[in-house]
Amino acid sequence: MPPRAVPTVNASTARRLFLGAQGLLDDPARRATPAVVRKIVQKLGYVQVDSINVIERAHHLILAGRLDGYEPRMLHRLLERNRTLFEHWTHDASAIPSEWFGHWQVRFERFRARRLTGTWWAEHFSGDQAQTLTHVVDRITAEGPLKSSDFQSNPRAGGGWWEWKPQKAALEILWRSGTLSIARRENFQKAYDLTERVMAGYTDLPVPDDRAHVDWACAAAIDRLGIATTGEIARFLRAVTLAEARNWCTAATDAGDLVTVEVASAGNGRPWRGYARPDWEHRATRPAPPPKRIRLLCPFDPILRDRARTARLFAFDYRFEAFTPAAKRRYGYYVMPIMEGDRLVGRLDPKLHRDRGELQVRGVWWEPGVRPTRSRMSALRSALGRLAGLVGADSVSLPRATRM
């Protein structure tokens, strides 16, 4: 039989598939409850947790971008009381649905195997690794959740995060290998407890074999990316290798569970090939149109995580500049992209002055061809008002040149 023609997907459709899968086509004005927040995290697959607090923590900004009435206490309740979410690693520290805990048992075992052959961790124990690990577990067993600061410090010359005291390294090893879990955070410091106490009800979930784990990880990725390359599938949860993702895509295509598509890039970019579910056309028409509003996206939002993918789908070149020397930054420290409908139309550089309750916008940059009309500026002020409400600011200030 002649080979099937590869269907062509325009950038707008690919973008719509992605935004729908990432919860950005849902009604942001719907009633906000912890149950709705949990559904958002399940839909996304994870929400990245990050320590930078120049405006608000990344996890709260990501959720607030999808739910107007979101409050940080809602996520805290799911993580620290209901335990329907837990914190661990995907590509970075993240809040993850607890029903996936069995798949993290696979990661725990892999980490234990890597640790036994590595040297970095051992260098933090001065030859007393087993004794330190036992000491940490014994104290937590007897005393309950403890932070790194609850252990006596043995400072080393030079300092820095790479020169952790042995007990901090032990806590991280025990967390990454599944013996401990994060019971709560206090001023963003992790408080660790025994996993059987934190994740009671989830530790008995079945542990998948390698084949089932790969199938789950790849399926979870494609369903949250809409259309993706094998590399994007592998990177989504960082749970499988590129070779495993390629083999899975080949097998899924042969079985009729995936189709190969060619996607036209936004702007003047080159077309690219990826994989999609066979019903991708139906999935693209199922969600409601994008909300007619402007939203300010967290720099760690899932749609911005892969810079090349963002450029292909949105014709938007975004670089997070917080770790770039100030003199070399093009825009600013914590620049937030501006989303209008299903397009990324600009960016702004915000700063929260907590001492005086002011959310200051230090600069606004619109994409080529996007004009700051009165209606657009009104929508931007509304978005800034929602952000101010989330972070507790009493006022918002814009650069004089942008006021309309």
Side-chain angles (χ1 to χ4, degrees), residues 10-12 15 263-271 310-316:
N10 61 42
S12 177
R15 192 163 58 238
V263 187
S265 291
N268 298 317
R270 297 176 59 183
T310 302
R312 290 201 309 267
L313 292 178
F314 297 92
F316 189 80

Side-chain angles (χ1 to χ4, degrees), residues 42-56:
Q42 289 172 318
K43 188 167 193 172
L44 299 180
Y46 62 84
V47 171
Q48 184 172 340
V49 175
D50 191 79
S51 61
I52 298 177
N53 197 26
V54 65
I55 299 295
E56 177 57 280

Side-chain angles (χ1 to χ4, degrees), residues 345-397:
V345 297
R347 64 199 84 202
L348 57 80
D349 177 27
K351 169 70 175 178
L352 177 60
H353 299 278
R354 291 180 173 85
D355 56 341
R356 59 178 188 259
E358 178 190 1
L359 178 61
Q360 178 192 16
V361 178
R362 297 180 289 194
V364 179
W365 299 267
W366 300 102
E367 289 294 278
V370 178
R371 295 179 57 248
T373 61
R374 290 189 179 277
S375 61
R376 185 165 281 134
M377 290 303 299
S378 176
L380 177 61
R381 284 193 294 269
S382 295
L384 287 166
R386 291 191 295 272
L387 180 59
L390 173 71
V391 301
D394 300 317
S395 63
V396 176
S397 63

Side-chain angles (χ1 to χ4, degrees), residues 28 59-70 293 295 390:
H59 35 296
H60 299 315
L61 290 173
I62 292 168
L63 292 167
R66 290 159 172 78
L67 189 63
D68 289 350
Y70 170 79
R293 58 159 59 188
R295 285 193 255 203
L390 173 71

Side-chain angles (χ1 to χ4, degrees), residues 115-142:
R115 182 175 67 84
L116 291 174
T117 59
T119 60
W120 191 93
W121 295 99
E123 292 171 356
H124 291 73
F125 289 89
S126 303
D128 298 325
Q129 182 174 147
Q131 181 179 347
T132 306
L133 292 170
T134 300
H135 169 69
V136 168
V137 171
D138 287 348
R139 277 200 60 187
I140 289 175
T141 301

Side-chain angles (χ1 to χ4, degrees), residues 259-276:
V259 293
T260 303
V261 296
E262 182 161 303
V263 187
S265 291
N268 298 317
R270 297 176 59 183
W272 54 283
R273 285 206 172 188
Y275 293 90

Side-chain angles (χ1 to χ4, degrees), residues 7-184:
T8 299
V9 183
N10 61 42
S12 177
T13 299
R15 192 163 58 238
R16 185 172 174 78
L17 283 166
F18 188 33
L19 294 178
Q22 288 295 311
L24 284 167
L25 299 184
D26 296 333
D27 179 12
R30 64 197 184 278
R31 183 167 176 257
T33 66
V36 172
V37 173
R38 181 188 176 192
K39 288 181 180 178
I40 293 173
V41 179
Q42 289 172 318
K43 188 167 193 172
L44 299 180
Y46 62 84
V47 171
Q48 184 172 340
V49 175
D50 191 79
S51 61
I52 298 177
N53 197 26
V54 65
I55 299 295
E56 177 57 280
R57 308 282 188 199
H59 35 296
H60 299 315
L61 290 173
I62 292 168
L63 292 167
R66 290 159 172 78
L67 189 63
D68 289 350
Y70 170 79
E71 298 176 16
R73 64 179 178 83
M74 297 175 180
L75 182 62
H76 294 156
R77 177 175 175 178
L78 299 173
L79 283 166
E80 299 178 6
R81 288 178 54 193
N82 297 358
R83 304 296 187 193
T84 51
L85 302 177
F86 72 104
E87 186 179 333
H88 220 277
W89 280 82
T90 53
H91 69 297
D92 211 322
S94 300
I96 304 158
S98 293
E99 60 262 35
W100 286 0
F101 192 76
H103 288 280
W104 260 256
Q105 301 277 16
V106 176
R107 299 170 83 113
F108 299 156
E109 181 57 40
R110 290 176 179 175
F111 176 81
R112 286 191 288 266
R114 289 197 306 271
R115 182 175 67 84
L116 291 174
T117 59
T119 60
W120 191 93
W121 295 99
E123 292 171 356
H124 291 73
F125 289 89
S126 303
D128 298 325
Q129 182 174 147
Q131 181 179 347
T132 306
L133 292 170
T134 300
H135 169 69
V136 168
V137 171
D138 287 348
R139 277 200 60 187
I140 289 175
T141 301
E143 301 175 39
L146 294 176
K147 306 183 296 296
S148 174
S149 58
D150 294 319
F151 293 87
Q152 183 178 359
S153 177
N154 294 311
R156 298 171 62 177
W161 64 268
W162 59 90
E163 292 186 343
W164 292 342
K165 61 188 177 186
Q167 295 89 344
K168 179 174 176 59
L171 288 166
E172 287 293 305
I173 282 179
L174 292 163
W175 175 50
R176 295 286 291 271
S177 59
T179 301
L180 301 180
S181 290
I182 297 175
R184 61 180 181 271

